[in-house]
């Protein structure tokens, strides 16, 4: 497979996953808006900080109001991570490799982009209207993954796409948890209160984890929620599960048996990250500090992504 094709497939899936997760990020605050006490104001800046978009945001906006943050994270073409930009870039990557993907996959990508292109942002959308819009984004991206799983041969291309999806998902789950840290940060009195529980519940609902969590744990506690979203090996949005699945696809691409040692730098870095999560307990996370642990994970995840790029996408021609 050409490295250019592999790169396009990898990033096409990362962009689709990123668009879905940005819709989920905003869902965190929507869920909170329905549950917060009347005397507590909505907070939108934590979304920008957790996604590391706050520096770019303040280059174009003065205040992190609900309207500004929603427009920046959803429709703003100046933001390369906005939902609109992600769907546009995913479609562009798909367009350049149409011969390598299925007809149904391309049609789904194209329809998703054309749909959001025609949506007109409105400053005075009510909460129900906005919730419906972001639900449509999530449904559209999940339909895309259904089409991929139903129409693509399980070859290198499929594994590169799967690798991109799970790398992006692991990173964004860590940032979902970081939203709670930055939301609680301004008011230390919130810690241990009912409001903190409301916030953690919103995080679970926003990653569609609430029902699966309640099947496994009887009570809602920050310790159990962090353990579930970071260390659970079976829930599809848990960080441990995502990294393990990404590692399996990485070994399938190289053809190296998973029982063997790594065969390239990408497998080495991925294996180190997976083993660190595997041998971590929730007490270790809180001992270090949740934010500090998530920050370190995001740095290590970026290092793994860099090694994937250098191993497979940045291949230089051999000099004779």
């Amino acid at each position: 497979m050409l490295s250019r094709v592999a790169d396009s497939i990898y990033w096409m899936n990362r962009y689709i996953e990123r668009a879905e997760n940005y819709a989920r990020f905003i869902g965190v605050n929507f869920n909170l808006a329905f549950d917060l006490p009347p005397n507590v104001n909505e907070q939108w800046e934590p979304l920008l900080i957790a996604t590391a978009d706050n520096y770019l945001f303040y280059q174009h906006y003065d205040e992190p109001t609900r309207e500004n943050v929603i427009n920046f994270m959803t429709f703003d073409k100046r933001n390369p991570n906005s939902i609109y930009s992600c769907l546009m870039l995913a479609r562009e990557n798909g367009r350049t490799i149409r011969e390598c993907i299925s007809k149904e996959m391309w049609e789904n990508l194209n329809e998703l982009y054309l749909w959001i292109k025609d949506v007109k942002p409105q400053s005075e959308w009510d909460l129900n209207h906005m919730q419906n819009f972001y639900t449509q984004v999530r449904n559209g991206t999940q339909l895309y993954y259904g089409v991929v799983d139903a129409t693509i041969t399980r070859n290198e291309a499929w594994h590169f796409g799967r690798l991109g999806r799970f790398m992006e998902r692991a990173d964004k789950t860590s940032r979902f948890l970081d939203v709670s840290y930055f939301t609680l940060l301004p008011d230390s009195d919130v810690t241990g209160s009912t409001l903190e529980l409301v916030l953690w519940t919103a995080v679970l609902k926003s990653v569609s984890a609430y029902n699966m969590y309640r099947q496994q744990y009887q009570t809602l506690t920050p310790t159990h929620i962090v353990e579930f979203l970071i260390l659970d090996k079976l829930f599809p949005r848990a960080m441990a599960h995502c990294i393990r699945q990404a590692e399996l696809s990485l070994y399938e691409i190289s053809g190296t048996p998973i029982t063997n040692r790594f065969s390239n730098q990408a497998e080495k870095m991925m294996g180190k990250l997976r083993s660190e999560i595997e041998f971590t307990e929730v007490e270790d996370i809180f001992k270090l500090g949740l934010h500090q642990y998530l920050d370190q994970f995001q740095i290590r995840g970026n290092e793994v992504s860099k090694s994937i790029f250098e191993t497979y996408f940045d291949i230089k021609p051999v000099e004779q």
Side-chain angles (χ1 to χ4, degrees):
M1 172 178 286
L2 294 174
S3 59
R4 174 188 64 81
V5 174
D7 183 57
S8 293
I9 293 173
Y10 174 84
W11 278 105
M12 178 172 61
N13 283 270
R14 286 203 71 152
Y15 284 130
I16 289 290
E17 184 68 27
R18 189 172 299 176
E20 181 191 358
N21 278 280
Y22 267 58
R24 290 178 179 275
F25 269 123
I26 298 171
V28 171
N29 272 30
F30 284 158
N31 286 328
L32 275 175
F34 289 114
D35 296 330
L36 284 176
N39 60 328
V40 178
N41 295 326
E42 296 179 36
Q43 294 188 47
W44 289 91
E45 190 176 27
L47 273 69
L48 300 171
I49 299 173
T51 56
D53 289 329
N54 50 318
Y55 301 105
L56 181 60
F57 175 85
Y58 285 112
Q59 293 179 19
H60 304 291
Y61 298 88
D62 295 325
E63 296 291 334
T65 62
R66 182 174 74 177
E67 290 75 17
N68 287 345
V69 173
I70 286 176
N71 186 67
F72 179 73
M73 297 184 69
T74 307
F75 300 107
D76 201 328
K77 299 177 183 178
R78 299 169 297 183
N79 177 13
N81 294 322
S82 70
I83 294 174
Y84 175 87
S85 296
C86 286
L87 294 180
M88 178 189 68
L89 291 168
R91 177 185 180 272
E92 184 61 21
N93 275 284
R95 186 188 64 80
T96 62
I97 54 168
R98 285 187 62 179
E99 71 281 2
C100 300
I101 61 178
S102 67
K103 172 176 175 287
E104 293 83 0
M105 187 174 167
W106 164 250
E107 288 176 347
N108 177 265
L109 263 178
N110 199 41
E111 288 176 8
L112 194 55
Y113 165 72
L114 293 176
W115 167 73
I116 197 169
K117 184 181 178 182
D118 290 338
V119 174
K120 304 299 181 184
Q122 300 178 27
S123 59
E124 295 302 326
W125 277 4
D126 60 70
L127 286 177
N128 287 329
H129 192 162
M130 285 189 276
Q131 282 281 49
N132 291 336
F133 169 78
Y134 291 110
T135 298
Q136 284 184 271
V137 173
R138 294 198 302 270
N139 289 344
T141 56
Q142 289 166 0
L143 176 61
Y144 164 83
Y145 287 130
V147 170
V148 171
D149 284 345
T151 63
I152 298 296
T153 303
R154 269 47 173 177
N155 53 15
E156 285 183 346
W158 186 79
H159 281 290
F160 270 115
R162 190 169 178 269
L163 175 63
R165 181 203 312 185
F166 280 111
M167 286 300 297
E168 185 69 26
R169 184 176 294 178
D171 177 79
K172 291 302 177 284
T173 297
S174 73
R175 296 182 186 277
F176 272 115
L177 288 167
D178 239 5
V179 168
S180 64
Y181 169 83
F182 287 111
T183 303
L184 292 172
L185 188 62
D187 188 1
S188 58
D189 294 335
V190 171
T191 305
S193 67
T194 304
L195 182 57
E196 182 188 30
L197 190 59
V198 168
L199 174 64
W200 284 109
T201 303
V203 171
L204 280 175
K205 289 179 178 178
S206 298
V207 294
S208 302
Y210 184 79
N211 295 109
M212 294 301 100
Y213 172 88
R214 291 309 299 262
Q215 290 182 20
Q216 192 162 327
Y217 299 96
Q218 293 183 348
T219 58
L220 285 164
T221 66
T223 300
H224 287 159
I225 293 170
V226 168
E227 182 178 27
F228 186 69
L229 292 182
I230 295 180
L231 303 178
D232 194 272
K233 296 179 180 179
L234 300 179
F235 182 66
R237 304 196 75 86
M239 291 156 55
H241 177 85
C242 292
I243 293 301
R244 179 57 173 168
Q245 296 305 309
E247 183 185 35
L248 290 173
S249 282
L250 204 53
Y251 274 85
E252 287 290 335
I253 290 167
S254 68
T256 305
I258 192 68
T259 54
N260 289 15
R261 292 195 68 201
F262 56 86
S263 63
N264 55 53
Q265 186 67 14
E267 291 174 1
K268 176 183 176 181
M269 299 293 290
M270 183 76 80
K272 289 176 67 175
L273 181 59
R274 187 262 307 157
S275 63
E276 286 178 5
I277 298 178
E278 196 170 281
F279 291 97
T280 295
E281 295 181 342
V282 69
E283 291 80 11
D284 302 326
I285 296 173
F286 283 103
K287 184 177 180 180
L288 176 64
L290 178 60
H291 171 64
Q292 288 73 17
Y293 177 85
L294 295 173
D295 197 44
Q296 289 184 10
F297 174 84
Q298 290 158 18
I299 293 171
R300 297 297 299 277
N302 289 337
E303 292 172 350
V304 173
S305 297
K306 181 181 178 183
S307 66
I308 292 171
F309 172 78
E310 293 173 345
T311 301
Y312 290 108
F313 308 146
D314 192 31
I315 300 176
K316 304 293 191 301
V318 178
E319 295 184 5
Q320 300 295 329

